[in-house]
Amino acid sequence: MDKIFMPAKLAGVMAAPASKSEAHRRMICAGLTTEETRLDGFMSSADMKATIRCLKGLGASIKEENDALVICGGKPRKGKLPVLDCGESGSTLRFFVPIALCLAGGATFRMHGLLGQRPMEVYRDLFVPRGVMWRMGVGADCAAELTVSGKMAAGKYVLPGNVSSQFVSGLLFALPLLEGDSTLTVLPPVESVGYINMTMEALLDSGIEVKENGPFSWTIPGRQMYRARSGRLSGDYSQAAVMLCAGALGHEVTVSGLQAKTTQGDRAVLGHLAALGAAVRECGEGVIVSGGNLQGAVLDMHDCPDIAPILALTCQLAKGESRLTGCGRLRLKECDRLAATVTILNQLGGCAEMQGDDMVIRGVETLRGGVEIEDFNDHRMVMLAALAATVCKEPVTVKGVEALDKSWPEFLNVYQSLGGIVK
């Protein structure tokens, strides 16, 4: 479904959608209990549905009640390996591989889109020498499938930290379920530390004991029981970043529902916008960002790669040159986001290029627009184009917006409620 986004002024108050990253983790902890957990403020999306499917496949019962999710843990059925459909969610896939080995002796994971091409060698190299069977294949409908089977045993686990923190989180969820004690060490450099901290917070809140031995090294006792912890999910800085950047570009948007104290690495968006010269104010109504005389800056994206595309747009309308460093992992997302962001900015009349793992952006006074842009099957690219259109001279057509369902299905409604014009 193609959409035309018009130049327009955005103004008003919006509530940040629930943090997808936190929701994944709280849902998994809830599914590993034997009790009932209620998570308020839940927002359904394709990624959330993937995690729900996998939890159900491992025996949990789940129901939605308005904006709440009620989860009751259970045990997987004995017999054949469960089939767990991960959709296009990398978090779901990487979280559930060790969990499935613990609870069900493995599973067949179905993968759609480009998920089957995302790196999984960290787990393969970890588990295969320990006797786990690992087979990549293709299902009857041509969807990629990964089958793992075997017994996950307690012991010493060592992971590289420079691929994805999702592998670390997956092991942190699973190791407390084993019969014996384990150690987990993550070798530097460690990417996305905030996401590891978020996992650790969810574990501790669920009654799981983790003993720190040193930087990124822990002892995890076995035979632990997850405890139910109901509560309200936090607002998502990752999604809110779109409208926070809108403020820096001259719109008048207040974003509510964001916690000042958070493990979300994407809260870095506030510091990055301030570094570009935007005024950032946190008050009772929410977070308000105001633009002005934006100046280019060097911004480190190592721990917050998801907000790089929307920050790149903001840099494009700042004076001088900006450099977004540490963007290498953008190549391993739903699309090559590094290349896609540069392509879109240049199509709009900007001036951007890749230099290794960095994105270099030379500011322009205005963006031309008046082009058709590919959606790259990536929700971040659609949101980038939608916000860019508001500050372009001419409309921007996006060839398909269905990718928004992956993370923020209500984006277009929110965008229009703030004055965005979509045809």
Side-chain angles (χ1 to χ4, degrees):
M1 180 172 54
D2 298 352
K3 292 290 184 182
I4 302 173
F5 295 88
M6 309 295 291
K9 178 77 171 181
L10 304 183
V13 179
M14 61 152 282
S19 168
K20 186 162 65 83
S21 299
E22 180 185 338
H24 278 301
R25 290 159 171 80
R26 298 289 181 182
M27 290 161 64
I28 288 171
C29 288
L32 295 175
T33 71
T34 57
E35 308 164 291
E36 183 176 281
T37 303
R38 181 184 179 91
L39 300 175
D40 290 303
F42 176 75
M43 181 188 70
S44 184
S45 66
D47 281 1
M48 294 292 94
K49 290 175 182 176
T51 291
I52 288 173
R53 286 194 299 269
C54 290
L55 286 171
K56 287 182 175 180
L58 292 175
S61 60
I62 302 174
K63 58 182 178 180
E64 292 187 48
E65 296 180 353
N66 297 322
D67 70 338
L69 196 68
V70 180
I71 303 171
C72 188
K75 294 182 179 181
R77 296 177 181 176
K78 294 182 179 181
K80 294 177 62 177
L81 292 180
V83 177
L84 307 180
D85 189 337
C86 298
E88 298 184 41
S89 175
S91 297
T92 304
L93 174 63
R94 288 165 173 167
F95 290 166
F96 274 91
V97 167
I99 292 171
L101 285 170
C102 283
L103 297 182
T108 294
F109 296 91
R110 291 179 52 74
M111 300 167 281
H112 303 273
L114 297 180
L115 181 56
Q117 299 176 26
R118 293 173 73 171
M120 290 294 288
E121 291 83 3
V122 170
Y123 278 160
R124 183 196 64 195
D125 296 344
L126 187 70
F127 289 129
V128 170
R130 296 169 185 257
V132 170
M133 187 278 289
W134 182 281
R135 184 179 70 246
M136 289 290 296
V138 178
D141 59 354
C142 296
E145 290 185 347
L146 166 65
T147 299
V148 297
S149 65
K151 184 175 177 58
M152 186 172 170
K156 182 179 179 181
Y157 288 84
V158 180
L159 288 180
N162 62 345
V163 181
S164 172
S165 65
Q166 293 166 352
F167 296 110
V168 181
S169 292
L171 283 174
L172 285 171
F173 286 127
L175 292 176
L177 303 172
L178 299 177
E179 286 299 313
D181 300 348
S182 299
T183 61
L184 173 59
T185 301
V186 185
L187 302 177
V190 182
E191 301 279 0
S192 300
V193 174
Y195 289 108
I196 297 175
N197 292 337
M198 187 183 295
T199 299
M200 198 69 70
E201 181 180 65
L203 291 172
L204 297 177
D205 285 348
S206 299
I208 297 299
E209 179 185 1
V210 179
K211 301 174 183 177
E212 186 172 3
N213 302 323
F216 304 107
S217 180
W218 308 276
T219 295
I220 300 100
R223 302 170 297 280
Q224 296 194 62
M225 297 285 290
Y226 280 79
R227 295 201 304 264
R229 183 181 183 277
S230 297
R232 174 165 287 274
L233 296 167
S234 305
D236 191 356
Y237 276 93
S238 177
Q239 312 290 18
V242 179
M243 295 308 172
L244 295 172
C245 287
L249 293 173
H251 299 295
E252 299 173 359
V253 179
T254 300
V255 183
S256 64
L258 295 173
Q259 295 183 356
K261 185 178 180 180
T262 179
T263 53
Q264 293 184 49
D266 290 327
R267 180 176 160 81
V269 66
L270 301 183
H272 289 330
L273 289 175
L276 291 169
V280 178
R281 182 162 62 96
E282 298 181 72
C283 58
E285 291 76 24
V287 182
I288 303 171
V289 178
S290 303
N293 187 25
L294 298 181
Q295 301 287 335
V298 178
L299 307 178
D300 184 356
M301 296 289 108
H302 275 100
D303 288 334
C304 52
D306 285 339
I307 60 175
I310 208 68
L311 278 169
L313 170 63
T314 310
C315 292
Q316 190 63 88
L317 290 170
K319 294 180 180 178
E321 182 178 287
S322 294
R323 180 179 290 267
L324 276 60
T325 64
C327 295
R329 283 187 300 130
L330 290 176
R331 296 189 176 96
L332 306 175
K333 298 290 185 174
E334 284 78 353
C335 71
D336 181 344
R337 285 183 183 162
L338 182 53
T341 299
V342 167
T343 296
I344 289 173
L345 292 179
N346 289 333
Q347 281 183 293
L348 293 169
C351 182
E353 66 174 315
M354 293 179 286
Q355 292 185 3
D357 288 343
D358 294 353
M359 200 181 322
V360 177
I361 301 152
R362 296 171 183 87
V364 297
E365 290 188 5
T366 59
L367 291 174
R368 180 180 63 251
V371 293
E372 288 188 351
I373 289 178
E374 182 185 346
D375 71 336
F376 292 93
N377 193 35
D378 192 317
H379 49 124
R380 303 285 178 188
M381 298 303 106
V382 178
M383 289 187 272
L384 166 63
L387 181 57
T390 65
V391 291
C392 281
K393 290 184 176 181
E394 300 176 35
V396 174
T397 300
V398 179
K399 304 295 287 182
V401 297
E402 289 80 5
L404 291 170
D405 291 340
K406 178 175 173 60
S407 66
W408 194 357
E410 291 298 310
F411 174 79
L412 291 183
N413 291 336
V414 173
Y415 180 86
Q416 290 174 299
S417 73
L418 295 170
I421 302 172
V422 185
K423 297 184 177 180

